[in-house]
Short mmCIF file of all heavy atoms in Angstrom, two decimals:
data_model
loop_
_atom_site.label_atom_id
_atom_site.label_comp_id
_atom_site.label_asym_id
_atom_site.label_seq_id
_atom_site.Cartn_x
_atom_site.Cartn_y
_atom_site.Cartn_z
N PHE A 98 1.19 4.06 -3.07
CA PHE A 98 0.97 5.49 -2.85
C PHE A 98 2.16 6.30 -3.32
O PHE A 98 2.03 7.33 -3.98
CB PHE A 98 0.71 5.75 -1.36
CG PHE A 98 0.39 7.19 -1.04
CD1 PHE A 98 -0.90 7.68 -1.15
CD2 PHE A 98 1.40 8.05 -0.62
CE1 PHE A 98 -1.19 9.00 -0.85
CE2 PHE A 98 1.12 9.37 -0.33
CZ PHE A 98 -0.19 9.85 -0.44
N LEU A 99 3.38 5.83 -3.03
CA LEU A 99 4.59 6.54 -3.42
C LEU A 99 4.75 6.57 -4.94
O LEU A 99 5.11 7.60 -5.52
CB LEU A 99 5.81 5.89 -2.77
CG LEU A 99 7.16 6.56 -3.01
CD1 LEU A 99 7.12 8.01 -2.53
CD2 LEU A 99 8.27 5.80 -2.31
N LEU A 102 2.35 9.05 -6.40
CA LEU A 102 2.84 10.41 -6.14
C LEU A 102 3.93 10.80 -7.12
O LEU A 102 3.94 11.91 -7.66
CB LEU A 102 3.37 10.47 -4.70
CG LEU A 102 3.53 11.84 -4.06
CD1 LEU A 102 2.18 12.53 -3.91
CD2 LEU A 102 4.21 11.71 -2.71
N ILE A 103 4.86 9.88 -7.41
CA ILE A 103 5.96 10.16 -8.33
C ILE A 103 5.44 10.37 -9.76
O ILE A 103 5.90 11.26 -10.47
CB ILE A 103 6.99 9.02 -8.28
CG1 ILE A 103 7.71 9.02 -6.92
CG2 ILE A 103 8.02 9.17 -9.40
CD1 ILE A 103 8.61 7.82 -6.71
N GLN A 121 9.16 28.22 6.04
CA GLN A 121 8.12 28.18 7.06
C GLN A 121 8.66 27.73 8.41
O GLN A 121 9.70 27.08 8.50
CB GLN A 121 6.98 27.24 6.65
CG GLN A 121 7.37 25.79 6.50
CD GLN A 121 7.80 25.44 5.10
OE1 GLN A 121 7.36 26.05 4.13
NE2 GLN A 121 8.66 24.45 4.97
N GLN A 142 9.23 23.03 14.23
CA GLN A 142 9.81 22.68 12.94
C GLN A 142 10.15 23.95 12.17
O GLN A 142 9.47 24.97 12.29
CB GLN A 142 8.83 21.84 12.11
CG GLN A 142 8.51 20.48 12.71
CD GLN A 142 7.49 19.71 11.91
OE1 GLN A 142 6.73 20.28 11.13
NE2 GLN A 142 7.45 18.40 12.10
N ALA A 143 11.21 23.89 11.39
CA ALA A 143 11.60 24.99 10.51
C ALA A 143 12.21 24.40 9.26
O ALA A 143 13.02 23.46 9.33
CB ALA A 143 12.60 25.92 11.20
N GLY A 144 11.83 24.93 8.09
CA GLY A 144 12.36 24.35 6.87
C GLY A 144 12.01 25.16 5.63
O GLY A 144 11.48 26.27 5.71
N ALA A 145 12.31 24.55 4.49
CA ALA A 145 12.06 25.19 3.20
C ALA A 145 11.60 24.13 2.20
O ALA A 145 12.00 22.97 2.28
CB ALA A 145 13.33 25.88 2.68
N ASP A 146 10.74 24.56 1.27
CA ASP A 146 10.23 23.69 0.21
C ASP A 146 10.47 24.36 -1.14
O ASP A 146 10.57 25.58 -1.23
CB ASP A 146 8.71 23.45 0.35
CG ASP A 146 8.33 22.89 1.69
OD1 ASP A 146 9.12 22.12 2.26
OD2 ASP A 146 7.23 23.23 2.17
N ILE A 147 10.54 23.53 -2.17
CA ILE A 147 10.52 24.03 -3.55
C ILE A 147 9.31 23.37 -4.22
O ILE A 147 9.14 22.15 -4.17
CB ILE A 147 11.83 23.71 -4.30
CG1 ILE A 147 11.84 24.38 -5.66
CG2 ILE A 147 12.11 22.24 -4.37
CD1 ILE A 147 12.10 25.86 -5.63
N VAL A 156 3.49 20.23 -7.21
CA VAL A 156 4.20 19.14 -6.56
C VAL A 156 5.44 19.74 -5.91
O VAL A 156 6.09 20.63 -6.46
CB VAL A 156 4.57 18.02 -7.56
CG1 VAL A 156 5.48 18.54 -8.68
CG2 VAL A 156 5.23 16.85 -6.84
N GLY A 157 5.74 19.29 -4.70
CA GLY A 157 6.84 19.89 -3.97
C GLY A 157 7.67 18.89 -3.19
O GLY A 157 7.25 17.77 -2.91
N VAL A 158 8.88 19.33 -2.85
CA VAL A 158 9.77 18.57 -2.00
C VAL A 158 10.47 19.57 -1.08
O VAL A 158 10.68 20.73 -1.46
CB VAL A 158 10.80 17.76 -2.83
CG1 VAL A 158 11.69 18.68 -3.65
CG2 VAL A 158 11.64 16.86 -1.94
N GLY A 159 10.79 19.16 0.13
CA GLY A 159 11.39 20.09 1.07
C GLY A 159 12.39 19.42 1.99
O GLY A 159 12.64 18.22 1.90
N ILE A 160 12.94 20.23 2.87
CA ILE A 160 13.84 19.73 3.90
C ILE A 160 13.71 20.65 5.11
O ILE A 160 13.53 21.87 4.96
CB ILE A 160 15.30 19.67 3.39
CG1 ILE A 160 16.20 18.99 4.44
CG2 ILE A 160 15.84 21.06 3.05
CD1 ILE A 160 17.57 18.63 3.90
N GLY A 161 13.76 20.08 6.30
CA GLY A 161 13.61 20.90 7.48
C GLY A 161 14.03 20.18 8.75
O GLY A 161 14.18 18.95 8.78
N TYR A 162 14.20 20.97 9.79
CA TYR A 162 14.55 20.45 11.12
C TYR A 162 13.27 20.28 11.93
O TYR A 162 12.36 21.11 11.87
CB TYR A 162 15.48 21.43 11.83
CG TYR A 162 15.60 21.20 13.32
CD1 TYR A 162 16.35 20.13 13.82
CD2 TYR A 162 14.95 22.04 14.22
CE1 TYR A 162 16.45 19.92 15.19
CE2 TYR A 162 15.05 21.83 15.58
CZ TYR A 162 15.79 20.78 16.06
OH TYR A 162 15.88 20.55 17.42
N SER A 163 13.20 19.18 12.71
CA SER A 163 12.02 18.91 13.52
C SER A 163 12.45 18.45 14.91
O SER A 163 13.21 17.49 15.04
CB SER A 163 11.16 17.83 12.85
OG SER A 163 10.01 17.54 13.64
N ALA A 164 12.00 19.15 15.95
CA ALA A 164 12.24 18.78 17.34
C ALA A 164 10.94 18.23 17.91
O ALA A 164 9.94 18.95 17.99
CB ALA A 164 12.71 19.99 18.14
N GLU A 165 10.94 16.96 18.29
CA GLU A 165 9.73 16.27 18.73
C GLU A 165 9.96 15.65 20.10
O GLU A 165 11.04 15.11 20.37
CB GLU A 165 9.35 15.21 17.70
CG GLU A 165 9.18 15.81 16.30
CD GLU A 165 9.05 14.78 15.21
OE1 GLU A 165 8.73 13.62 15.52
OE2 GLU A 165 9.26 15.13 14.03
N HIS A 181 15.36 14.56 17.66
CA HIS A 181 15.67 15.58 16.65
C HIS A 181 15.83 14.89 15.30
O HIS A 181 16.63 13.95 15.16
CB HIS A 181 16.94 16.33 17.03
CG HIS A 181 16.88 16.96 18.39
ND1 HIS A 181 16.38 18.22 18.59
CD2 HIS A 181 17.23 16.48 19.61
CE1 HIS A 181 16.43 18.52 19.88
NE2 HIS A 181 16.94 17.48 20.52
N TYR A 182 15.06 15.38 14.33
CA TYR A 182 15.05 14.78 13.00
C TYR A 182 15.30 15.84 11.92
O TYR A 182 14.98 17.02 12.09
CB TYR A 182 13.68 14.14 12.70
CG TYR A 182 13.49 12.77 13.29
CD1 TYR A 182 13.04 12.60 14.59
CD2 TYR A 182 13.75 11.62 12.53
CE1 TYR A 182 12.85 11.33 15.13
CE2 TYR A 182 13.57 10.36 13.06
CZ TYR A 182 13.11 10.22 14.36
OH TYR A 182 12.94 8.97 14.87
N ILE A 183 15.85 15.39 10.79
CA ILE A 183 15.78 16.13 9.54
C ILE A 183 14.67 15.46 8.73
O ILE A 183 14.74 14.26 8.44
CB ILE A 183 17.11 16.08 8.76
CG1 ILE A 183 18.21 16.80 9.54
CG2 ILE A 183 16.93 16.70 7.38
CD1 ILE A 183 17.98 18.28 9.73
N ARG A 184 13.64 16.23 8.41
CA ARG A 184 12.50 15.66 7.70
C ARG A 184 12.47 16.14 6.25
O ARG A 184 12.77 17.30 5.95
CB ARG A 184 11.19 16.01 8.40
CG ARG A 184 11.04 15.29 9.73
CD ARG A 184 9.60 15.19 10.19
NE ARG A 184 9.46 14.36 11.37
CZ ARG A 184 9.32 13.04 11.34
NH1 ARG A 184 9.28 12.40 10.17
NH2 ARG A 184 9.20 12.35 12.46
N ILE A 185 12.10 15.21 5.35
CA ILE A 185 12.05 15.48 3.91
C ILE A 185 10.64 15.17 3.43
O ILE A 185 10.28 14.01 3.24
CB ILE A 185 13.09 14.63 3.16
CG1 ILE A 185 14.49 14.90 3.70
CG2 ILE A 185 13.02 14.90 1.66
CD1 ILE A 185 15.55 13.96 3.18
N PRO A 186 9.80 16.20 3.24
CA PRO A 186 8.45 15.96 2.73
C PRO A 186 8.40 15.95 1.21
O PRO A 186 9.12 16.69 0.54
CB PRO A 186 7.66 17.16 3.29
CG PRO A 186 8.68 18.25 3.36
CD PRO A 186 10.00 17.58 3.67
N VAL A 187 7.56 15.10 0.66
CA VAL A 187 7.25 15.06 -0.78
C VAL A 187 5.73 15.11 -0.89
O VAL A 187 5.04 14.26 -0.32
CB VAL A 187 7.79 13.78 -1.45
CG1 VAL A 187 7.46 13.78 -2.93
CG2 VAL A 187 9.29 13.64 -1.22
N PHE A 188 5.19 16.11 -1.59
CA PHE A 188 3.75 16.33 -1.50
C PHE A 188 3.16 16.87 -2.79
O PHE A 188 3.86 17.43 -3.64
CB PHE A 188 3.43 17.31 -0.36
CG PHE A 188 4.12 18.64 -0.47
CD1 PHE A 188 3.51 19.69 -1.14
CD2 PHE A 188 5.38 18.84 0.07
CE1 PHE A 188 4.14 20.92 -1.26
CE2 PHE A 188 6.03 20.07 -0.04
CZ PHE A 188 5.40 21.11 -0.70
N LEU A 189 1.85 16.69 -2.91
CA LEU A 189 1.05 17.30 -3.96
C LEU A 189 0.28 18.46 -3.37
O LEU A 189 -0.14 18.42 -2.21
CB LEU A 189 0.06 16.28 -4.54
CG LEU A 189 0.63 15.07 -5.25
CD1 LEU A 189 -0.50 14.15 -5.70
CD2 LEU A 189 1.47 15.49 -6.44
N VAL A 204 -1.00 17.09 0.38
CA VAL A 204 -1.03 15.72 0.89
C VAL A 204 0.19 15.01 0.34
O VAL A 204 0.58 15.20 -0.82
CB VAL A 204 -2.33 14.98 0.48
CG1 VAL A 204 -2.46 14.88 -1.03
CG2 VAL A 204 -2.39 13.62 1.12
N GLY A 205 0.84 14.21 1.20
CA GLY A 205 2.05 13.53 0.73
C GLY A 205 2.67 12.66 1.81
O GLY A 205 2.00 12.26 2.78
N LEU A 206 3.95 12.39 1.63
CA LEU A 206 4.73 11.58 2.56
C LEU A 206 5.86 12.42 3.14
O LEU A 206 6.39 13.31 2.48
CB LEU A 206 5.32 10.36 1.86
CG LEU A 206 4.36 9.26 1.42
CD1 LEU A 206 5.10 8.20 0.61
CD2 LEU A 206 3.68 8.62 2.62
N SER A 207 6.22 12.12 4.38
CA SER A 207 7.35 12.78 5.02
C SER A 207 8.31 11.70 5.52
O SER A 207 7.88 10.75 6.19
CB SER A 207 6.89 13.66 6.18
OG SER A 207 8.00 14.24 6.84
N PHE A 208 9.59 11.87 5.19
CA PHE A 208 10.62 10.94 5.62
C PHE A 208 11.50 11.63 6.65
O PHE A 208 11.95 12.75 6.43
CB PHE A 208 11.46 10.48 4.43
CG PHE A 208 10.66 9.86 3.32
CD1 PHE A 208 10.15 10.64 2.30
CD2 PHE A 208 10.40 8.50 3.32
CE1 PHE A 208 9.39 10.07 1.29
CE2 PHE A 208 9.64 7.93 2.31
CZ PHE A 208 9.14 8.71 1.30
N GLY A 209 11.74 10.98 7.80
CA GLY A 209 12.54 11.57 8.86
C GLY A 209 13.84 10.84 9.08
O GLY A 209 13.85 9.62 9.28
N VAL A 210 14.95 11.56 9.03
CA VAL A 210 16.28 11.00 9.29
C VAL A 210 16.70 11.42 10.69
O VAL A 210 16.81 12.61 11.00
CB VAL A 210 17.31 11.50 8.25
CG1 VAL A 210 18.68 10.90 8.53
CG2 VAL A 210 16.85 11.16 6.84
N PHE A 211 16.93 10.44 11.55
CA PHE A 211 17.24 10.71 12.95
C PHE A 211 18.61 11.37 13.09
O PHE A 211 19.59 10.97 12.47
CB PHE A 211 17.23 9.39 13.74
CG PHE A 211 17.67 9.52 15.17
CD1 PHE A 211 16.86 10.12 16.11
CD2 PHE A 211 18.91 9.05 15.56
CE1 PHE A 211 17.27 10.24 17.42
CE2 PHE A 211 19.34 9.17 16.86
CZ PHE A 211 18.51 9.77 17.80
N MET A 212 18.66 12.41 13.95
CA MET A 212 19.91 13.13 14.20
C MET A 212 20.43 12.93 15.62
O MET A 212 21.61 12.65 15.82
CB MET A 212 19.70 14.63 13.94
CG MET A 212 19.23 14.96 12.54
SD MET A 212 20.40 14.43 11.26
CE MET A 212 21.77 15.54 11.58
N ASP A 235 15.09 3.38 11.30
CA ASP A 235 15.46 4.70 10.78
C ASP A 235 15.68 4.55 9.28
O ASP A 235 16.40 3.64 8.85
CB ASP A 235 16.74 5.19 11.47
CG ASP A 235 17.08 6.63 11.13
OD1 ASP A 235 16.14 7.43 10.99
OD2 ASP A 235 18.27 6.93 10.98
N PRO A 236 15.05 5.34 8.41
CA PRO A 236 14.33 6.57 8.72
C PRO A 236 12.88 6.33 9.13
O PRO A 236 12.33 5.26 8.93
CB PRO A 236 14.40 7.34 7.41
CG PRO A 236 14.40 6.26 6.37
CD PRO A 236 15.20 5.15 6.96
N ASP A 237 12.28 7.38 9.70
CA ASP A 237 10.86 7.41 10.01
C ASP A 237 10.10 7.79 8.74
O ASP A 237 10.64 8.41 7.84
CB ASP A 237 10.60 8.43 11.12
CG ASP A 237 9.15 8.48 11.52
OD1 ASP A 237 8.57 7.40 11.78
OD2 ASP A 237 8.58 9.58 11.56
N MET A 238 8.82 7.40 8.68
CA MET A 238 8.01 7.74 7.51
C MET A 238 6.55 7.85 7.93
O MET A 238 6.09 7.13 8.82
CB MET A 238 8.16 6.69 6.42
CG MET A 238 7.38 7.02 5.14
SD MET A 238 7.69 5.84 3.78
CE MET A 238 6.86 4.40 4.44
N GLY A 239 5.82 8.77 7.28
CA GLY A 239 4.40 8.90 7.58
C GLY A 239 3.69 9.78 6.58
O GLY A 239 4.30 10.38 5.68
N PHE A 240 2.37 9.87 6.74
CA PHE A 240 1.55 10.71 5.87
C PHE A 240 1.53 12.14 6.40
O PHE A 240 1.48 12.37 7.61
CB PHE A 240 0.12 10.17 5.80
CG PHE A 240 0.02 8.82 5.16
CD1 PHE A 240 -0.32 7.70 5.90
CD2 PHE A 240 0.27 8.68 3.79
CE1 PHE A 240 -0.41 6.45 5.30
CE2 PHE A 240 0.18 7.43 3.19
CZ PHE A 240 -0.16 6.31 3.95
N LEU A 241 1.56 13.09 5.48
CA LEU A 241 1.58 14.51 5.82
C LEU A 241 0.40 15.21 5.15
O LEU A 241 0.12 14.99 3.98
CB LEU A 241 2.89 15.14 5.34
CG LEU A 241 3.02 16.66 5.49
CD1 LEU A 241 3.15 17.02 6.97
CD2 LEU A 241 4.23 17.17 4.71
N GLY A 242 -0.28 16.07 5.91
CA GLY A 242 -1.37 16.86 5.35
C GLY A 242 -1.31 18.29 5.84
O GLY A 242 -1.07 18.54 7.03
N ASN A 243 -1.48 19.25 4.92
CA ASN A 243 -1.52 20.68 5.26
C ASN A 243 -2.77 21.29 4.64
O ASN A 243 -3.20 20.90 3.55
CB ASN A 243 -0.30 21.43 4.70
CG ASN A 243 1.01 20.89 5.21
OD1 ASN A 243 1.12 20.49 6.37
ND2 ASN A 243 2.01 20.86 4.35
N THR A 261 -1.02 21.87 10.00
CA THR A 261 -0.33 20.69 9.49
C THR A 261 -0.52 19.50 10.43
O THR A 261 -0.59 19.67 11.66
CB THR A 261 1.17 20.97 9.30
OG1 THR A 261 1.81 19.79 8.77
CG2 THR A 261 1.84 21.36 10.61
N TYR A 263 0.80 15.30 10.92
CA TYR A 263 1.67 14.19 10.50
C TYR A 263 1.21 12.92 11.22
O TYR A 263 1.05 12.91 12.44
CB TYR A 263 3.12 14.48 10.84
CG TYR A 263 4.06 13.33 10.58
CD1 TYR A 263 4.45 13.00 9.29
CD2 TYR A 263 4.55 12.55 11.63
CE1 TYR A 263 5.30 11.93 9.04
CE2 TYR A 263 5.39 11.48 11.39
CZ TYR A 263 5.78 11.17 10.11
OH TYR A 263 6.61 10.10 9.87
N TYR A 264 1.03 11.86 10.43
CA TYR A 264 0.61 10.57 10.96
C TYR A 264 1.67 9.52 10.62
O TYR A 264 1.78 9.08 9.48
CB TYR A 264 -0.75 10.17 10.37
CG TYR A 264 -1.34 8.90 10.92
CD1 TYR A 264 -2.18 8.93 12.03
CD2 TYR A 264 -1.05 7.67 10.34
CE1 TYR A 264 -2.72 7.76 12.54
CE2 TYR A 264 -1.58 6.49 10.85
CZ TYR A 264 -2.43 6.54 11.96
OH TYR A 264 -2.96 5.39 12.47
N ASN A 285 2.06 14.41 14.91
CA ASN A 285 2.31 15.85 15.07
C ASN A 285 1.09 16.64 14.61
O ASN A 285 0.48 16.32 13.59
CB ASN A 285 3.50 16.31 14.21
CG ASN A 285 4.81 15.70 14.64
OD1 ASN A 285 4.97 15.29 15.79
ND2 ASN A 285 5.76 15.62 13.73
#
Side-chain angles (χ1 to χ4, degrees):
F98 183 85
L99 183 58
L102 198 64
I103 292 172
Q121 63 269 332
Q142 296 177 339
D146 305 326
I147 187 76
V156 60
V158 62
I160 187 168
Y162 164 75
S163 180
E165 304 169 19
H181 303 272
Y182 278 86
I183 295 296
R184 290 202 173 274
I185 303 171
V187 180
F188 57 90
L189 296 177
V204 61
L206 290 174
S207 177
F208 303 90
V210 180
F211 174 73
M212 301 300 292
D235 188 36
D237 182 50
M238 183 174 70
F240 295 111
L241 174 70
N243 301 323
T261 181
Y263 174 76
Y264 184 90
N285 295 336

